[in-house]
Short mmCIF file of all heavy atoms in Angstrom, two decimals:
data_model
loop_
_atom_site.label_atom_id
_atom_site.label_comp_id
_atom_site.label_asym_id
_atom_site.label_seq_id
_atom_site.Cartn_x
_atom_site.Cartn_y
_atom_site.Cartn_z
N ALA A 23 -37.50 -22.07 -29.69
CA ALA A 23 -36.60 -23.15 -29.28
C ALA A 23 -37.19 -24.00 -28.15
O ALA A 23 -37.16 -25.22 -28.19
CB ALA A 23 -35.26 -22.55 -28.87
N ARG A 24 -37.75 -23.31 -27.14
CA ARG A 24 -38.20 -24.04 -25.94
C ARG A 24 -39.54 -24.74 -26.12
O ARG A 24 -40.03 -25.39 -25.21
CB ARG A 24 -38.28 -23.08 -24.74
CG ARG A 24 -36.99 -22.38 -24.37
CD ARG A 24 -35.99 -23.30 -23.67
NE ARG A 24 -34.65 -23.14 -24.23
CZ ARG A 24 -33.77 -22.20 -23.90
NH1 ARG A 24 -34.07 -21.32 -22.98
NH2 ARG A 24 -32.62 -22.12 -24.50
N PHE A 36 -28.84 -26.05 -22.13
CA PHE A 36 -29.53 -25.38 -23.23
C PHE A 36 -28.54 -24.83 -24.26
O PHE A 36 -27.89 -23.80 -24.05
CB PHE A 36 -30.40 -24.25 -22.68
CG PHE A 36 -31.60 -24.77 -21.93
CD1 PHE A 36 -31.69 -24.63 -20.55
CD2 PHE A 36 -32.64 -25.40 -22.61
CE1 PHE A 36 -32.79 -25.12 -19.86
CE2 PHE A 36 -33.74 -25.90 -21.92
CZ PHE A 36 -33.82 -25.75 -20.54
N LEU A 37 -28.46 -25.55 -25.37
CA LEU A 37 -27.58 -25.13 -26.47
C LEU A 37 -28.42 -24.94 -27.73
O LEU A 37 -27.98 -25.21 -28.84
CB LEU A 37 -26.50 -26.20 -26.70
CG LEU A 37 -25.68 -26.60 -25.45
CD1 LEU A 37 -24.69 -27.72 -25.79
CD2 LEU A 37 -24.92 -25.40 -24.87
N ASP A 38 -29.66 -24.49 -27.52
CA ASP A 38 -30.62 -24.48 -28.62
C ASP A 38 -31.04 -23.09 -29.10
O ASP A 38 -31.67 -22.95 -30.13
CB ASP A 38 -31.89 -25.23 -28.19
CG ASP A 38 -32.52 -24.63 -26.94
OD1 ASP A 38 -31.82 -23.87 -26.23
OD2 ASP A 38 -33.70 -24.91 -26.68
N ALA A 39 -30.74 -22.04 -28.34
CA ALA A 39 -31.35 -20.75 -28.68
C ALA A 39 -30.32 -19.64 -28.87
O ALA A 39 -30.67 -18.47 -28.88
CB ALA A 39 -32.36 -20.36 -27.62
N ASN A 40 -29.07 -20.04 -29.02
CA ASN A 40 -28.00 -19.07 -29.26
C ASN A 40 -27.89 -18.01 -28.17
O ASN A 40 -27.52 -16.86 -28.44
CB ASN A 40 -28.16 -18.39 -30.63
CG ASN A 40 -28.20 -19.40 -31.74
OD1 ASN A 40 -27.80 -20.56 -31.54
ND2 ASN A 40 -28.66 -18.99 -32.90
N GLU A 41 -28.25 -18.41 -26.94
CA GLU A 41 -28.12 -17.48 -25.82
C GLU A 41 -26.69 -17.47 -25.30
O GLU A 41 -25.92 -18.40 -25.55
CB GLU A 41 -29.05 -17.91 -24.67
CG GLU A 41 -30.53 -17.89 -25.00
CD GLU A 41 -31.31 -18.95 -24.25
OE1 GLU A 41 -30.73 -20.00 -23.89
OE2 GLU A 41 -32.51 -18.74 -24.00
N ARG A 50 -31.34 -15.96 -20.35
CA ARG A 50 -32.19 -16.90 -21.07
C ARG A 50 -33.46 -16.21 -21.57
O ARG A 50 -33.95 -15.27 -20.95
CB ARG A 50 -32.61 -18.06 -20.16
CG ARG A 50 -31.45 -18.91 -19.65
CD ARG A 50 -30.78 -19.68 -20.75
NE ARG A 50 -29.62 -20.44 -20.26
CZ ARG A 50 -28.77 -21.08 -21.06
NH1 ARG A 50 -28.93 -21.06 -22.38
NH2 ARG A 50 -27.74 -21.74 -20.56
N TYR A 51 -34.01 -16.71 -22.66
CA TYR A 51 -35.32 -16.24 -23.12
C TYR A 51 -36.37 -16.57 -22.07
O TYR A 51 -36.27 -17.58 -21.37
CB TYR A 51 -35.69 -16.91 -24.45
CG TYR A 51 -35.02 -16.28 -25.64
CD1 TYR A 51 -33.94 -16.90 -26.26
CD2 TYR A 51 -35.48 -15.07 -26.14
CE1 TYR A 51 -33.32 -16.32 -27.36
CE2 TYR A 51 -34.88 -14.49 -27.24
CZ TYR A 51 -33.79 -15.11 -27.84
OH TYR A 51 -33.19 -14.53 -28.92
N TYR A 238 -41.97 -14.10 -27.45
CA TYR A 238 -41.45 -13.74 -26.12
C TYR A 238 -41.99 -12.38 -25.68
O TYR A 238 -41.24 -11.49 -25.29
CB TYR A 238 -39.93 -13.70 -26.16
CG TYR A 238 -39.31 -15.01 -26.59
CD1 TYR A 238 -38.66 -15.12 -27.82
CD2 TYR A 238 -39.40 -16.14 -25.78
CE1 TYR A 238 -38.10 -16.32 -28.22
CE2 TYR A 238 -38.84 -17.35 -26.18
CZ TYR A 238 -38.19 -17.44 -27.39
OH TYR A 238 -37.64 -18.64 -27.79
#
Side-chain angles (χ1 to χ4, degrees):
R24 301 285 134 83
F36 289 110
L37 307 177
D38 58 342
N40 303 344
E41 297 149 332
R50 297 293 177 188
Y51 280 104
Y238 302 111

